[in-house]
């Protein structure tokens, strides 16, 4: 974050001086607000998502980038929002929310279904320190919103449905400036602007009903507490490759909910990933000199969408905390099989149908180029999967739970096998089982987390496999053994053993601050 502000500050100094522009945003999505909007109007024509992003000249575009400014200023048509008729039985307004950029309003239907409406345009002022909120730095951060495609979220549903990835169904609306539901000061950003109405939680394939829906903090707490709930790793891998294919780099743990599924035959209930907030799909930053420097040097995970995966590891790095803990049971062949499955399901006709969901004026500007880029990225999906796999396989992390577990570690000349069982039992299917190859893996971190854990190392003489072990027992009476003989950590070559918890930066059970 410090690099972000330093870079943005340099950019601001090169482009402008003075204070934050008080009238940065367009006053209304309708260009001509002098004409009153009749009360019975159900749709508007020629509205824009953000005309302010297209007010710069050629020099600015050459330095900073054209980004998606043309789409933000393109005239589109949209229905006028009416909460009483937007869903059968109407929608009841609830809590005001939103992250660092968007403003949102929770809504509830008579049947209890939860929806949310959020602004298309963003205001990142809440992400800036108080000390700089009155400076020109805010102008720079606000202008960077033009790197996003305001209508990209409309493309997602048919693609996600074809892949079996949960998705919401956003609908674009114009909010009347005199709508009584948006007259509170906290909702002033909605007035006269375009907004998306969608389900609050992504819809499962086949409209299946989950037992419960958790946020990421709750999901990790559940996985940490007991073996009863496990992340559905194949489903998450499919969703993460979908992220990469779309160029959606903003996929930290806070960008997911989790559906609690029905317990499987092994007794474990799967946690199914529910992606949300598709704001960074088709992101374009590096089409100007300074934009290129920011995306390629300063903030490398701000990867521009195009025909090539310009930096696949950086593209997916915002989800590293989640990936290292919830994709750790899958091998290279499974990564490749998932990529090939996506390729077979993303037909050209589907791509064309999905991208044509952009408003006609937006499609005219970007549609053909977007389809061509998606086709090229589809061909390279196995390479994307392999880049992600190799990055995660280098230093994998395996965690237990707050209960007692046995970590069985079998060392071989070319590999190390890790199997995790609940202590005192050998179920038909262990909590975790995977063989790590020394050609791929340099170090394995094992974290007991809680309970009286046992770490059993067999064939320790085969440390020639060159895979180091870092073992953190955590709270509880933990022990390290060679077969049936308890040993000290220094007695085993290539093994670091600590009775304490892992360092905070690597903790399995605590989400990092977003």
């Amino acid at each position: 974050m410090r690099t972000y502000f330093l870079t943005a500050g340099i950019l601001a100094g090169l482009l402008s001086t003075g204070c934050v522009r008080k009238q940065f945003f367009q006053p209304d999505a309708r260009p001509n607000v002098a004409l009153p909007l009749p009360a019975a109007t159900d749709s508007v024509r020629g509205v824009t998502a953000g005309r302010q992003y297209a007010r710069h000249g050629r020099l600015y575009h050459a330095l900073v980038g054209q980004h998606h400014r043309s789409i933000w200023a393109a005239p589109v048509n949209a229905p006028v929002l009416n909460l009483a008729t937007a869903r059968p039985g109407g929608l009841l307004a609830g809590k005001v929310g939103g992250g660092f950029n968007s403003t949102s309003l929770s809504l509830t239907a008579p049947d209890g279904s939860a929806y949310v409406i959020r602004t298309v345009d963003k205001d990142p002022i809440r992400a800036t320190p108080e000390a700089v909120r009155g400076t020109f730095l805010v102008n720079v951060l606000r202008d960077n919103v033009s790197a996003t495609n305001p209508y990209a979220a409309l493309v997602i549903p048919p693609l996600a449905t074809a892949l079996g990835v949960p998705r919401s169904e956003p609908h674009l609306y114009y909010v009347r400036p005199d709508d009584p539901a948006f007259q509170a000061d906290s909702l002033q950003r909605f007035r006269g602007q375009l907004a998306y109405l969608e389900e609050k939680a992504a819809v499962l394939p086949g409209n299946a009903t989950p037992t419960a829906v958790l946020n990421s903090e709750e999901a990790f707490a559940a996985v940490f507490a007991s073996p009863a709930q496990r992340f559905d790793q194949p489903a998450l891998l499919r969703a993460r490759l979908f992220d990469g294919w779309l160029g959606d780099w903003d996929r930290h743990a806070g960008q997911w909910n989790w559906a609690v599924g029905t317990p499987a035959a092994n007794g474990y209930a799967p946690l199914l990933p529910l992606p949300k907030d598709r704001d960074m799909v088709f992101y374009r930053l590096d089409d100007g000199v300074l934009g290129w420097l920011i995306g390629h040097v300063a903030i490398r995970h701000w990867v521009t969408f195009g025909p090539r995966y310009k930096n696949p590891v950086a593209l997916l790095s915002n989800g590293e905390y989640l990936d290292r803990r919830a994709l750790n049971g899958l091998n290279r062949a499974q990564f490749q099989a998932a990529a090939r499955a996506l390729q077979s399901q993303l037909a050209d006709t589907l791509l064309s149908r999905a991208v044509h969901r952009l408003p006609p004026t937006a499609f005219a500007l970007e549609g053909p180029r977007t389809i061509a880029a998606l086709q090229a990225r589809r061909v390279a999906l196995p390479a994307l999967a392999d880049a992600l796999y190799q990055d995660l396989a280098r230093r994998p992390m395996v965690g237990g739970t707050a209960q007692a577990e046995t970590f069985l570690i079998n060392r071989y000349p070319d590999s190390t096998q890790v199997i995790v069982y609940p202590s005192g039992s050998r179920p038909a299917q262990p909590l975790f089982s995977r063989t790590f190859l020394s050609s791929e893996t340099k170090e394995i971190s094992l974290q007991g987390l809680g309970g009286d854990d046992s770490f059993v190392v067999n064939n320790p003489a085969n440390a020639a496999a060159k895979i180091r072990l870092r073992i953190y027992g955590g709270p509880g009476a933990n022990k390290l053994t060679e077969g049936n003989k308890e040993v000290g950590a220094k007695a085993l070559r290539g093994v670091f053993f600590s009775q304490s918890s892992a360092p905070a930066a690597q903790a399995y059970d605590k989400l990092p601050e977003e």
Side-chain angles (χ1 to χ4, degrees), residues 20-293:
V20 60
R21 188 180 297 120
K22 295 186 181 299
Q23 302 299 327
F24 181 89
F25 298 99
Q26 62 182 17
D28 196 289
R30 292 183 299 141
N32 189 354
V33 293
L35 297 175
L37 189 65
T41 301
D42 60 2
S43 64
V44 290
R45 301 175 62 84
V47 291
T48 62
R51 297 185 297 277
Q52 70 274 13
Y53 299 116
R55 61 188 168 201
H56 301 290
R58 291 183 180 179
L59 176 60
Y60 190 95
H61 293 164
L63 286 173
V64 180
Q66 173 66 30
H67 302 345
H68 286 295
R69 301 178 193 278
S70 297
I71 290 185
W72 281 94
V76 302
N77 303 332
V80 174
L81 180 66
N82 183 341
L83 293 183
T85 60
R87 290 294 182 272
L91 293 171
L92 181 65
K95 184 180 178 181
V96 178
F100 285 122
N101 293 313
S102 62
T103 301
S104 66
L105 177 65
S106 296
L107 303 164
T108 307
D111 64 358
S113 301
Y115 293 85
V116 64
I117 186 165
R118 55 190 178 87
T119 55
V120 173
D121 202 356
K122 314 296 180 187
D123 187 358
I125 191 170
R126 282 177 290 185
T128 63
E130 291 281 354
V132 301
R133 290 190 181 181
T135 70
F136 53 77
L137 177 58
V138 173
N139 297 336
V140 177
L141 298 178
R142 284 172 167 169
D143 183 72
N144 189 60
V145 172
S146 63
T148 65
N149 184 321
Y151 306 115
L154 299 172
V155 176
I156 303 301
L159 300 171
T161 299
L163 300 178
V165 174
R167 85 294 177 276
S168 59
E169 183 74 51
H171 295 272
L172 185 68
Y173 285 95
Y174 170 76
V175 180
R176 297 180 63 102
D178 56 354
D179 189 325
F182 297 91
Q183 292 308 297
D185 289 342
S186 58
L187 295 174
Q188 60 181 341
R189 287 281 290 113
F190 279 101
R191 302 172 195 169
Q193 301 301 320
L194 292 177
Y196 283 122
L197 174 65
E198 62 186 355
E199 299 88 351
K200 196 164 190 177
V203 178
L204 288 169
N207 293 320
T209 302
T211 303
V213 175
L214 310 177
N215 62 32
S216 284
E217 185 175 354
E218 293 166 336
F220 271 99
V223 169
F224 165 65
S226 78
Q229 293 176 344
R230 303 278 90 190
F231 290 111
D232 187 325
Q233 298 206 12
L236 178 61
L237 176 59
R238 189 163 56 247
R240 292 295 285 133
L241 293 179
F242 186 48
D243 293 339
W245 179 65
L246 295 169
D248 190 357
W249 55 260
D250 189 25
R251 306 308 302 158
H252 55 76
Q255 297 285 52
W256 303 83
N257 286 324
W258 301 87
V260 181
T262 304
N266 58 19
Y268 307 144
L271 292 175
L272 303 167
L274 303 177
K276 59 181 183 178
D277 295 346
R278 293 293 191 180
D279 293 331
M280 299 302 169
V281 171
F282 308 151
Y283 187 78
R284 180 182 299 145
L285 178 68
D286 68 1
D287 55 348
V289 175
L290 296 173
W292 188 95
L293 289 173

